[in-house]
Structures are given as C-alpha cells and as structure tokens.
Amino acid sequence: MPHVVLVLVESVNDYLHMLENQGYELILAPTPASRAEAIARHGARIDAVLTRGPLGLQADEMAALPLLRIICVIGAGFEQVDLQAASNQGITVTFGAGANASSVADHAMALLLSVVRGIPQADASIRRNEWVKVRQPSLSGKRMGIIGLGAIGAAIAKRAAHGFDMSIRYHSRQPHPDSPYTYCASVLELAAAVDFLMIATPGGSATHHLVNARVLDALGSEGYLINIARGSVVDTQALISALTAGKIAGAGLDVFEDEPRVPDPLKTLGNVVMTPHVAGQSPDAVEATVQLVVDNLRAFFAGKPVLTPVPLPHPA
C-alpha cells in the first residue's frame, strides 16, 4: 500500500511529480472546502500531510487522521501547526529550513534596493513620459539590522556585508557565538542602531507584533523596514501610521497580516514597495523545498531520523 499524502499547499504543484515518482499517493486540497472534504473522505488513509506555516494543521484535523505520522511544512515557518497536538499524538513535524534561503535573501535585497532607490517611482515616471530625477540614498556602507539570524537571515547578512559593504547587527533569541556580526539584546536596541531593518524571524505568538510603534520610532525618519518573514511580526496599523507621518522613510513588504488582503492605506503610500508573498518562489527554491520533503519522508518511513525536525513540546 502506498503512503497517502494530503497536500494542502498550491505553490508547489509543478513539482509534486517528485513525490509521485517516489510512489506516494497525493490528495490535493488547496482550499478550505476541499481540505475539509478530503479529511472527511480520506482521513482514515492519510499518513502524511504537506502544508505551510500560515495554513498549518489543527488539533481537530489531526484527531480526524488516525494514521497520520508525519507533517511536512514547506518554508521556515510553522506557526499554525498545533505542535502540542502533534506531540500528544506522536506525530513528527518537519520544516523547510534553508531550502529557499537564497531566493528569499535575493528578494529581500531586491525590495530594499527598490524602496531605497525609488525604482518603482522612477519606472512609473518614465512610462508617463516624464524625466524626473530624484536623489535617493545609497546602500553601500550603511548599517543593516536583521531580526532572526537563521538560514535566511544569514544569507541576507552575507549579501549585505559582502555585496554592499554594510555593517551588520542582529537580534535573535540567543546570540550566535560563531557569528562575525554584532548582537543586540533587543529589537528596540537593534532598530535604534541601524539604517535598514530586515525581518527574517519565524511567525507565531512569540514574535507577534515584535515590530511595534516604539521600534519604528527607534528606526527613525531615515530608516527603512523590509519584511520577508511573516506579516504578524509587524503591527500593521503602527507601520501605516509611521509611513504616513514620515516617522520611517519607507518599507518593502512581501508578507502581510491577513493575506491575501492588504490594507488599502498601504496601496496608496508612495514609500512602500509590495510583492504578494513570492520571496521563496523561484523555481530553484521550490524544487529544493519539495526535494527536502521527499528526503524527510524517505528517511521517516525508512525508520531513520528526519533531516529537519521541528522541536516539539513534551506530550500533555
């Protein structure tokens, strides 16, 4: 009997043949309605789930999947997966640590360049047959702060330090003793010390609204915020207020608190560059992400340790 994988994501469809080639039976359920129907109809056969952080998997859904043994989360975040429920049921959880780090880091720098150098505005002016030259800040030699120095944060730091000669400071739950960068004990301290603040930390309750009005005030009127992590890390209303009042110079956003809904005020501001959560969506990154899922499933069903386990709480 083949292993049955419930696929809740839609962004990797072009690469699902990599799972099928390994003999897995796939049940695709990318919408809330199809998800509920698939669990009700096929729940007794499903032993693996493929999801992503914002989609997650809840305790009641796990309870409806009696054979479920492993949840594979694509991407670095797993904020909507009920880890306590998984632990209680003895379910292994893996995530896509590092698989799309290069793509996300590239996109982070692209957003930074776009908003700091005013690329969208310059492009739009030419399309209006205008020839408007505006002096914009340079990036070289500036100070970058990174919230979260995991695989993505480290990749951003490498590009900024070696490509743009920036000095790097960071904040994370614990300092990295082997890091060449300067550790800041709080996000507030970090924001006050840098020109560009990059968010590369996981979402979830521990980081909810970590970047708030105080942090934005500390970043200052010449500072720029880039978020390629999770929308929940930033207090959206505080960000809109700061951008509107000129308390920060601009923002580059790939993620939002209530995706795919984006607040209308953000759409009207000229100092914001936005993309629809596509930082990790290069072909190379998606293929690497699915390959990591394949490798984790192969290891798990062979009785070997998975490659990228999510630490789980003790069973309750």
Side-chain angles (χ1 to χ4, degrees):
M1 293 286 291
H3 294 292
V4 180
V5 182
L6 175 63
V7 180
L8 303 180
V9 299
E10 72 293 332
S11 57
V12 298
N13 283 359
D14 291 343
Y15 296 88
L16 291 180
H17 62 86
M18 297 167 63
L19 286 163
E20 292 173 322
N21 290 344
Q22 297 295 315
Y24 297 107
E25 178 186 343
L26 306 183
I27 298 173
L28 308 186
T31 67
S34 63
R35 174 173 173 161
E37 180 184 0
I39 291 174
R41 184 176 178 183
H42 302 286
R45 299 194 302 120
I46 293 167
D47 51 6
V49 170
L50 176 56
T51 186
R52 59 185 179 90
L55 295 175
L57 197 70
Q58 300 305 310
D60 60 334
E61 295 175 311
M62 296 182 203
L65 305 173
L67 298 184
L68 180 62
R69 298 168 61 193
I70 181 170
I71 300 167
C72 294
V73 185
I74 65 170
F78 41 85
E79 63 272 20
Q80 292 301 321
V81 177
D82 191 326
L83 299 183
Q84 186 64 66
S87 177
N88 294 347
Q89 294 183 218
I91 298 169
T92 295
V93 182
T94 69
F95 70 129
N100 64 0
S102 291
S103 176
V104 177
D106 289 349
H107 198 85
M109 295 306 296
L111 283 173
L112 181 63
L113 284 161
S114 294
V115 68
V116 173
R117 297 296 298 170
I119 303 300
Q121 293 85 349
D123 177 85
S125 72
I126 289 178
R127 294 174 190 273
R128 294 192 300 265
N129 296 316
E130 299 171 356
W131 195 253
V132 180
K133 295 185 178 182
V134 179
R135 291 188 178 91
Q136 297 290 120
S138 62
L139 276 70
S140 180
K142 293 298 198 304
R143 304 166 299 169
M144 176 177 284
I146 303 174
I147 304 175
L149 201 67
I152 292 171
I156 294 171
K158 180 179 179 181
R159 284 156 174 75
H162 297 289
F164 294 88
D165 196 30
M166 294 187 197
S167 62
I168 308 296
R169 292 173 172 82
Y170 74 96
H171 172 76
S172 58
R173 285 174 293 182
Q174 300 292 335
H176 296 244
D178 57 343
S179 172
Y181 311 123
T182 301
Y183 176 74
C184 291
S186 71
V187 172
L188 194 64
E189 176 188 338
L190 179 67
V194 300
D195 304 296
F196 310 135
L197 185 61
M198 283 274 184
I199 302 174
T201 188
S205 58
T207 59
H208 185 260
H209 287 187
L210 189 63
V211 175
N212 53 26
R214 290 184 65 208
V215 171
L216 295 171
D217 285 345
L219 182 57
S221 60
E222 296 183 0
Y224 292 83
L225 178 77
I226 307 296
N227 190 4
I228 43 74
R230 287 291 186 264
S232 60
V233 181
V234 178
D235 182 334
T236 301
Q237 292 307 313
L239 176 61
I240 291 171
S241 296
L243 288 165
T244 303
K247 291 184 177 181
I248 66 172
L253 308 173
D254 185 54
V255 290
F256 305 88
E257 284 203 77
D258 189 22
E259 296 179 5
R261 288 172 286 276
V262 176
D264 287 336
L266 285 176
K267 300 174 186 176
T268 62
L269 288 167
N271 54 350
V272 183
V273 176
M274 299 179 288
T275 53
H277 203 154
V278 294
Q281 290 299 305
S282 75
D284 293 341
V286 177
E287 182 175 4
T289 296
V290 178
Q291 184 61 55
L292 183 56
V293 171
V294 170
D295 294 343
N296 272 318
L297 288 175
R298 181 188 294 123
F300 179 81
F301 288 119
K304 300 177 181 178
V306 294
L307 282 69
T308 53
V310 174
L312 299 180
H314 292 295

